[in-house]
Amino acid sequence: MLQATPLTEGWILRHEGGALPAVVPGCVHTDLLAAEVIPDPFLGRNESEVAWVGRREWTYERDLAPVNGHEQTDLVLDGLDTVAEVLLDGQLLGRTRNMHRSYRFDVTGMSGRLAVRFVSAYAEAEAVRGKLGERPAAYAEPYQYLRKMACSFGWDWGPTLVTAGIWRPVRLEQWSTARIARVRPLVTVEQGAGVVELAVEVERARVEAPLSVEASVGGVRARAAIDGTTGTVRLEVPDARLWWPRGYGEQPLYEVELTLLHEGRPLDVWRRRVGFRTVELDRSADEHGTGFTFVLNGERLFARGVNWIPDDVFPSRITRERYRERLGQAADAGVDLVRIWGGGIYESEDFYDVCDELGLLVWQDFPFACAAYPEEQPLRGEVEAEARENVVRLMPHPSLVLWNGNNENLWGFRDWGWEVRLAGDSWGEGYYLGVLPRVVAELDPTRPYTAGSPWSGSWEHHPNDPAHGTHHSWEVWNRLDYAGYRDDVPRFVAEFGWQAPPAYATLARALPGEELAADSPGVLHHQKADDGNGKLRRGLERHFPFPEGDFDRWHYLTQVNQARAVAAGIEHWRSHWPVCAGTVVWQLNDCWPVTSWAAVDGDGREKPLYHELRRLYADRLLTVQEREGGLVLAAVNQAGDPWAGVLRLRRMSVEGVLIGEGEVGFAAERRAVARVDVPRELEPLGPKEFLVVDADGLRALHFPCPDRDIPYPRPEFDVSVAPGSVTVAARTLVRDLLLQADRLDPGARADRGLVTLLPGERVTIGVRGWETPDADAARSALYCLEPSR
């Protein structure tokens, strides 16, 4: 039987200054940090102080004792970051140049000193650039010249911390006769039966030994012979329970076990969990353009998505527990789709396992982002090899529903001046329209592939045409007011977002000793977007007087504006289902403490946007929309049952006076939107009035003017506390009340974000992690909109 021995202990990291203990899996930065050779690059401006690390060469070493008892011994390295030589007792085993692949070397009968020597990623990238020529990119760093996590070279939300190291597990595998080299599971549903077809490849130590495989799933067993090095076994599970996305049904998972046998004796075992479901991507043309709608088990979905970046710039630190926490936050916010963005990595099995369990659909980018990528060697062979490995590795997961060729590169070629600069040089089109769809069609025909995001489906349309395929909406954040989201109805919004700083406690931890200000040195260093603070300011000034010199007010208002902006987009686009079939917010998470578009900051704290997503992505949503001819109330029903009832409408003054009221019936079919005209006499007029709509515990508000023009009364409210809660009772209109629980205690969390109270209303906010409730302290951590100054 194959025996695996992890190689986690006894490693040292050698560098020109000496040696220090190393942790494997890990990376150079984390080892240097543990040894106190470098300061924490996440704190202050230390990122700049450790830039030298990415320019050096590093060697990991440990002893490898002789092993016996099997015919073959392999050294297996699941991930090396990135360009390295692997040597055993001075003998070269092989060279690597791809972070996204695993490696296997025959070390039968060998022992001695194992060394993995890493050259600088900069040195390799610059050498490839010198050989293949300059290619344009969104950033100056040379990330497109090697197969490495692009965002380790920095991004508009991430630090430049160019890593090296053994970032995934290492082990010895000892085996005799034969081993399982690869299993490619095709999982389908045919006439109510769940079908698993396992294409098996084996590696032999004995050519003539007769081999067979035995497989089981859901109580069904089957056997097949291995012909040479390949074989196929098919299993059918009658009346298999379907796997559904969260909110649509349950997520039953079936364990598949396949055993390689020689004369009845087990040699190796492969185990995975699968789920039975069908997935289609409806890209058919209609009167609105070209659609992009996910269809799971025959059910058409409005995808409620978030974009995912690596949760740590040092991905070896991300544990299964951390994946579960972060993805659990996504699920709790109503998210049903997570897009793994192309400037990161193929995540570990733990990520996809958690998504399988939670019912989170996964859209997987191949790792290409915001650059022209050369298609010549040595890159071309690496691209195909990594695609083949990772497509097969991830195939068992029912959560995986889409392969996407790249992030923004087709758009960049057309709009960012690349075509002229390239002058005919390769730039990646051959990957996205050639290599990658061929690999997916050959290996994983059960899942759809799209060439890129954004992509209109062909060069007949602009790559980012909102009427065709996927659309990235960045003009609004970069240049316009967030009301610009309402100017069109894309078929699928794969990226859009608005920035805000992280939670106060996150900033305070990341910038120790600094007097916080919107433009203080540390705050500016932890703002990586081009003119990011300028865009934050201009976005605020369209709605609020800018709070000059008042950091606390700036911090609160920018977070309000982020939540308002994302709400403007999602409410508008959801109200246009089924023309618009999904929104994927940029972004769920951060990889360090930074001002960014994230809903959950780099310390894992939820911003107000996170809590707003819980409202926006709920099965049922009320929203007031401005349409030609007047106001329309949209009752969005993504639940599986019809929704009917009575809407209570109130036209009110900001002083709390009821001007008019009425009731209107509505009926929304399952997975549908009901639209009801707001009676003219109830439409608010001018800055002193607003509309309130209530139904079934849900509420929609409509203020017809920017906040800077609204004469809000000075907010008056009473505060009471109890263990685990803060209650606020309003005596006036209290708009966008927010309890910043982390100001009470860095470990405290509130269970809700922004809330607007009418006079006489109250709200109880759950708080965990606050051990000494105090009403005065709670009041000091409460923020809301105030009269314009």
Side-chain angles (χ1 to χ4, degrees):
M1 192 71 169
L2 182 143
Q3 179 179 337
T5 305
L7 301 180
T8 55
E9 305 295 330
W11 290 93
I12 64 168
L13 176 63
R14 290 197 183 276
H15 55 101
E16 59 188 37
L20 51 89
V23 173
V24 172
C27 75
V28 170
H29 286 83
T30 53
D31 289 330
L32 295 174
L33 187 59
E36 300 183 348
V37 175
I38 61 171
D40 188 339
F42 287 10
L43 302 184
R45 289 177 281 173
N46 291 341
E47 172 202 356
S48 302
E49 300 300 315
V50 304
W52 59 271
V53 175
R55 298 280 182 181
R56 300 287 179 86
E57 296 186 359
W58 306 90
T59 300
Y60 284 81
E61 292 184 359
R62 63 156 283 163
D63 288 325
L64 197 63
V67 292
N68 299 299
H70 289 78
E71 294 174 347
Q72 178 98 13
T73 302
D74 293 338
L75 173 67
V76 183
L77 304 108
D78 286 339
L80 297 179
D81 176 16
T82 291
V83 182
E85 291 183 337
V86 182
L87 304 101
L88 182 54
D89 223 22
Q91 178 180 333
L92 179 66
L93 299 178
R95 295 183 172 89
T96 75
R97 57 189 321 127
N98 193 328
M99 181 181 183
H100 306 303
R101 291 179 61 187
S102 63
Y103 298 91
R104 177 181 292 267
F105 303 109
D106 183 353
V107 294
T108 306
M110 301 175 67
S111 61
R113 195 68 170 170
L114 175 63
V116 185
R117 296 177 180 170
F118 292 93
V119 303
S120 164
Y122 279 111
E124 168 72 7
E126 288 157 4
V128 172
R129 177 167 55 188
K131 176 183 177 182
L132 302 182
E134 190 77 31
R135 298 295 197 284
Y139 302 97
E141 298 280 313
Y143 57 90
Q144 71 269 47
Y145 300 103
L146 74 168
R147 300 306 297 150
K148 174 177 171 59
M149 184 176 84
C151 64
S152 68
F153 288 91
W155 221 259
D156 55 5
W157 37 256
T160 302
L161 294 167
V162 180
T163 51
I166 305 173
W167 77 289
R168 280 184 166 162
V170 185
R171 63 189 175 279
L172 287 179
E173 287 189 358
Q174 298 172 262
W175 53 278
S176 298
T177 308
R179 71 173 185 89
I180 298 170
R182 186 173 81 161
V183 178
R184 186 169 62 89
L186 290 172
V187 182
T188 56
V189 178
E190 300 177 13
Q191 298 179 340
V195 178
V196 182
E197 188 172 285
L198 302 168
V200 185
E201 296 178 17
V202 304
E203 181 182 358
R204 287 176 172 269
R206 286 190 247 163
V207 175
E208 301 301 326
L211 301 175
S212 63
V213 290
E214 182 176 275
S216 65
V217 60
V220 177
R221 308 185 75 85
R223 295 182 69 126
I226 296 295
D227 182 8
T229 59
T230 62
T232 300
V233 59
R234 177 184 170 95
L235 303 108
E236 294 189 13
V237 180
D239 301 318
R241 297 170 60 213
L242 294 180
W243 183 96
W244 287 93
R246 63 165 304 284
Y248 290 80
E250 297 180 345
Q251 295 79 44
L253 296 170
Y254 291 77
E255 181 162 306
V256 180
E257 180 174 291
L258 181 141
T259 304
L260 177 64
L261 301 164
H262 169 56
E263 297 178 342
R265 181 171 58 88
L267 302 177
D268 197 0
V269 176
W270 178 92
R271 294 184 183 91
R272 296 292 187 278
R273 292 186 304 174
V274 301
F276 296 108
R277 55 100 184 99
T278 63
V279 56
E280 302 169 74
L281 187 59
D282 185 353
R283 289 179 272 199
S284 57
D286 57 27
E287 68 271 26
H288 304 287
T290 308
F292 195 92
T293 304
F294 286 99
V295 185
L296 269 293
N297 300 325
E299 188 81 66
R300 301 174 70 82
L301 276 64
F302 181 99
R304 293 168 278 187
V306 288
N307 281 276
W308 172 276
I309 66 171
D311 204 52
D312 196 318
V313 75
F314 307 130
S316 60
R317 296 199 297 199
I318 307 172
T319 62
R320 185 179 183 89
E321 291 70 32
R322 185 157 155 188
Y323 278 128
R324 184 168 293 280
E325 177 187 3
R326 200 70 68 244
L327 292 167
Q329 288 172 310
D332 289 345
V335 169
D336 58 24
L337 181 142
V338 179
R339 176 192 172 210
I340 301 178
W341 167 77
I345 57 176
Y346 306 94
E347 296 286 345
S348 79
E349 292 293 330
D350 293 334
F351 178 98
Y352 306 92
D353 283 345
V354 173
C355 290
D356 291 344
E357 294 163 9
L358 294 178
L360 292 172
L361 303 176
V362 177
W363 161 333
Q364 176 71 59
D365 281 14
F366 286 98
F368 300 89
C370 301
Y373 284 78
E375 296 178 38
E376 294 77 21
Q377 299 294 7
L379 293 174
R380 188 179 186 87
E382 290 292 343
V383 166
E384 178 152 354
E386 83 177 47
R388 286 183 170 277
E389 177 175 339
N390 284 286
V391 166
V392 172
R393 177 174 73 91
L394 301 180
M395 281 176 64
H397 296 283
S399 56
L400 178 61
V401 293
L402 181 68
W403 294 104
N404 175 50
N406 75 88
N407 176 74
E408 298 189 344
N409 295 343
L410 297 160
W411 181 21
F413 179 76
R414 178 57 54 87
D415 269 7
W416 301 349
W418 293 3
E419 189 168 4
V420 172
R421 292 173 60 188
L422 285 163
D425 286 343
S426 65
W427 56 275
E429 182 182 25
Y431 298 144
Y432 319 134
L433 299 178
V435 173
L436 297 176
R438 171 171 54 80
V439 169
V440 172
E442 175 192 341
L443 298 177
D444 188 14
T446 67
R447 287 181 179 85
Y449 170 87
T450 185
S453 185
W455 180 234
S456 59
S458 78
W459 288 114
E460 294 180 7
H461 305 288
H462 187 282
N464 200 30
D465 187 335
H468 300 277
T470 49
H471 177 68
H472 289 196
S473 180
W474 284 117
E475 191 71 8
V476 172
W477 156 253
N478 285 319
R479 295 176 180 85
L480 305 173
D481 179 39
Y482 58 69
Y485 289 134
R486 304 186 184 107
D487 291 343
D488 53 34
V489 183
R491 305 310 303 269
F492 193 103
V493 189
E495 280 190 22
F496 79 106
W498 204 270
Q499 270 201 349
Y504 175 83
T506 299
L507 269 181
R509 184 193 70 81
L511 304 174
E514 179 167 311
E515 184 177 348
L516 297 179
D519 58 355
S520 62
V523 170
L524 290 178
H525 185 81
H526 288 247
Q527 162 64 278
K528 296 297 186 179
D530 181 36
D531 190 30
N533 269 26
K535 293 171 185 175
L536 281 176
R537 179 174 187 131
R538 291 188 291 276
L540 272 184
E541 288 177 335
R542 295 183 178 105
H543 296 270
F544 306 100
F546 192 81
E548 298 283 0
D550 187 340
F551 171 80
D552 290 342
R553 202 76 193 154
W554 173 84
H555 182 264
Y556 162 73
L557 288 175
T558 50
Q559 295 208 333
V560 170
N561 225 34
Q562 180 187 39
R564 293 265 196 95
V566 172
I570 293 178
E571 289 187 15
H572 169 66
W573 294 320
R574 282 195 74 181
S575 76
H576 282 279
W577 160 259
V579 177
C580 179
T583 57
V584 189
V585 177
W586 189 270
Q587 64 214 62
L588 173 68
N589 58 327
D590 271 325
C591 63
W592 77 313
V594 65
T595 295
S596 83
W597 298 264
V600 178
D601 74 20
D603 282 5
R605 295 186 175 91
E606 300 93 351
K607 296 182 186 179
L609 170 60
Y610 172 83
H611 297 282
E612 186 70 351
L613 285 177
R614 296 174 69 181
R615 179 183 72 86
L616 296 167
Y617 277 167
D619 282 348
R620 290 173 173 169
L621 171 71
L622 293 180
T623 175
V624 178
Q625 296 291 312
E626 296 181 13
R627 302 281 170 87
E628 188 175 342
L631 296 181
V632 172
L633 192 288
V636 181
N637 180 30
Q638 204 160 349
D641 300 317
W643 182 27
V646 175
L647 301 166
R648 182 191 179 197
L649 294 82
R650 285 177 285 173
R651 178 181 170 192
M652 300 190 68
S653 75
V654 293
E655 290 85 9
V657 176
L658 180 65
I659 299 170
E661 63 181 330
E663 292 185 346
V664 180
F666 74 97
E669 296 299 323
R670 65 185 298 275
R671 324 281 193 218
V673 180
R675 301 172 185 89
V676 178
D677 291 334
V678 173
R680 284 286 189 173
E681 67 272 15
L682 296 181
E683 291 190 4
L685 301 175
K688 295 185 178 181
E689 298 181 6
F690 64 102
L691 176 66
V692 183
V693 183
D694 293 292
D696 292 342
L698 302 180
R699 171 171 288 179
L701 298 169
H702 176 71
F703 289 77
C705 301
D707 294 82
R708 65 179 182 228
D709 298 331
I710 298 174
Y712 288 117
R714 185 160 299 283
E716 297 179 6
F717 52 83
D718 299 314
V719 179
S720 59
V721 298
S725 68
V726 173
T727 298
V728 178
R731 287 182 270 121
T732 64
L733 172 66
V734 179
R735 183 98 195 269
D736 283 334
L737 179 75
L738 175 67
L739 175 65
Q740 296 193 27
D742 58 293
R743 289 179 179 261
L744 301 172
D745 185 286
R749 300 286 180 86
D751 67 358
R752 66 185 306 158
L754 301 167
V755 59
T756 293
L757 299 175
L758 305 181
E761 292 183 337
R762 66 175 56 223
V763 63
T764 296
I765 304 167
V767 182
R768 56 184 173 86
W770 186 32
E771 302 301 329
T772 55
D774 176 83
D776 290 336
R779 180 176 284 274
S780 71
L782 285 164
Y783 291 76
C784 62
L785 297 188
E786 297 177 351
S788 298
R789 301 173 185 174

